[in-house]
Structure formats: C-alpha cells, structure tokens
Amino acid sequence: GEDVEQSLFLSVREGDSSVINCTYTDSSSTYLYWYKQEPGAGLQLLTYIFSNMDMKQDQRLTVLLNKKDKHLSLRIADTQTGDSAIYFCAESMGSGGGNKLTFGTGTQLKVEL
Amino acid sequence: DAMVIQNPRYQVTQFGKPVTLSCSQTLNHNVMYWYQQKSSQAPKLLFHYYDKDFNNEADTPDNFQSRRPNTSFCFLDIRSPGLGDAAMYLCATSREQYNEQFFGPGTRLTVL
C-alpha cells in the first residue's frame, strides 16, 4: 500500500538551511515531488525528481533521493521568512491515463528571525 | 498567464443542498484532477479525467460526481453535502500522464 510520512513541524532561523524529510513505501513510484502550500492557498510545485536520480539541485533547493531506504529530502539553503509554509512530498504512479499523487502528511516550516 | 482557475474561492452551502465547484485551465492540458483536502491533512485524490475518460478513485463516495464538458473546464458536483464534506477542494492539471501537476488556488467549502 501507499503511505508517505513526514515530520509535522520544523523551526529554523532565517539564513540557516532547512532540511525536510519524507519516507515512502511504494518502490514503484516514478516521480517524487515537493509542493509548498501557504495558508489558505493551493499547492505550488517546487521541484521534482525522477526515481532513477539521486540528487537534483535547483537554485536554493536540493532534493536527495535514497531509493534503497525510500527516503526523500528537501534542503532549502539560506531560508527566508517567505519560506514559511507547509511542505508536502508526494509520490506518483500512473493511473488510468493520469498520474496519481499520494501526498505526505505535510511539514510545517516556521522561519524565525 | 496560463493558469488553473477555481471559482468560487469560498463556497457556503447548506446540509443536503447540491453544490457545484468549477475549475478552468488555459494550459490546454489533457488531464484534470480533483483533490479534497480536509483541515491539517494531505490532499486526497477524488478522481481525474484523461481527456474525456473519467477515472474514479475506489474510495471516493458516490455523493461526489464530476463533469468535463470540454478541455478547459471541469466541475465537481456534490449531490448532498454533509458536514464531513467541508474541506478545501483543489483542482490540478497535467499535460500528460507523467507530467507534473499544476494546482489551482482551491475552493474552500463550508457546510452549514
């Protein structure tokens, strides 16, 4: 079955790095995603990684994937107050012509001055 | 700008009174999705359309229906809303099956 887990909260100081972790159980996932959700808003796609990759870097964001341990992480360098939000990881599998995303429980990131 | 638009942003309905939520997209994507997100929970896929083909998730209640009259629009119909259906409803699109999904801002539904 599909089960994606994240720690609920993370608090960091402005300028520090944030690392948000995610574990998943379905090894047949094709892509893994990171989405950001600000209060009362929809989901903003931050970045994604194909399942045969180990790492992807995109400006301040670094995604690491350990497929053996089914562990995904998102590192945000030089965290800013505007990064405060809930971060969801998601795994995807094809389904009926679409792409079913199973989301993690979400990690609330709080950035303190 | 190409985008995913949801109307209304906030919807209040009465217990048992049918309600329709709307999603439109200017991305010309083939796939449209509806997710339900309850307070402090992860979004949960209800169903999706690949072009005109409807794909229902096994655990989506019969109370939830969807229509996609053309490429640009997709509707979520809740036939008899219960108090437990109060949630944020998110629409998303993807170009094809394995492409990333782009989300609209969501419609927050309140059931009185």
Side-chain angles (χ1 to χ4, degrees):
Chain A
E2 306 151 1
D3 203 9
V4 183
E5 295 186 353
Q6 301 175 235
S7 52
L8 290 179
F9 297 102
L10 176 65
S11 181
V12 298
R13 288 193 182 278
E14 189 177 40
D16 288 350
S17 292
S18 309
V19 179
I20 302 170
N21 294 301
C22 172
T23 59
Y24 60 99
T25 57
D26 197 321
S27 58
S28 60
S29 298
T30 50
Y31 287 92
L32 294 128
Y33 298 85
W34 284 102
Y35 282 89
K36 175 184 179 182
Q37 187 175 38
E38 298 186 30
L43 297 170
Q44 175 193 354
L45 176 65
L46 288 177
T47 186
Y48 62 94
I49 189 167
F50 189 51
S51 57
N52 69 350
M53 295 170 65
D54 298 325
M55 186 183 92
K56 181 179 179 181
Q57 185 152 6
D58 184 1
Q59 299 182 338
R60 291 193 296 125
L61 306 178
T62 303
V63 179
L64 296 177
L65 175 60
N66 182 328
K67 200 169 180 182
K68 174 176 167 289
D69 295 337
K70 298 188 183 69
H71 183 263
L72 180 74
S73 68
L74 173 70
R75 180 177 180 269
I76 306 172
D78 187 25
T79 312
Q80 303 296 309
T81 54
D83 295 325
S84 292
I86 299 176
Y87 290 80
F88 290 95
C89 64
E91 60 177 351
S92 74
M93 281 170 292
S95 169
N99 187 14
K100 179 175 179 176
L101 292 182
T102 300
F103 286 87
T105 48
T107 298
Q108 180 154 7
L109 174 64
K110 182 178 178 184
V111 182
E112 298 174 329
L113 295 173
Chain B
D1 287 341
M3 57 191 348
V4 182
I5 302 159
Q6 291 189 244
N7 286 306
R9 293 293 309 278
Y10 300 90
Q11 175 74 57
V12 180
T13 191
Q14 292 180 331
F15 182 94
K17 185 174 180 183
V19 68
T20 295
L21 309 183
S22 170
C23 178
S24 64
Q25 52 126 344
T26 61
L27 298 158
N28 205 33
H29 283 177
N30 280 325
V31 196
M32 295 187 78
Y33 308 80
W34 279 104
Y35 289 83
Q36 179 193 63
Q37 185 181 23
K38 295 188 177 181
S39 182
S40 302
Q41 295 185 21
K44 181 175 175 299
L45 182 64
L46 294 173
F47 28 58
H48 75 270
Y49 271 95
Y50 179 79
D51 195 12
K52 296 178 183 176
D53 294 330
F54 177 70
N55 296 269
N56 200 28
E57 291 301 301
D59 54 356
T60 297
D62 293 340
N63 199 22
F64 292 86
Q65 304 286 319
S66 187
R67 295 170 285 134
R68 190 179 185 187
N70 53 52
T71 302
S72 300
F73 283 87
C74 194
F75 300 101
L76 169 63
D77 301 308
I78 309 177
R79 292 192 297 192
S80 182
L83 297 178
D85 297 328
M88 174 81 92
Y89 289 88
L90 298 165
C91 173
T93 72
S94 65
R95 186 166 54 86
E96 286 293 341
Q97 180 179 23
Y98 290 107
N99 298 121
E100 59 270 30
Q101 293 182 25
F102 295 91
F103 283 78
T107 295
R108 183 166 294 284
L109 178 68
T110 301
V111 182
L112 301 177

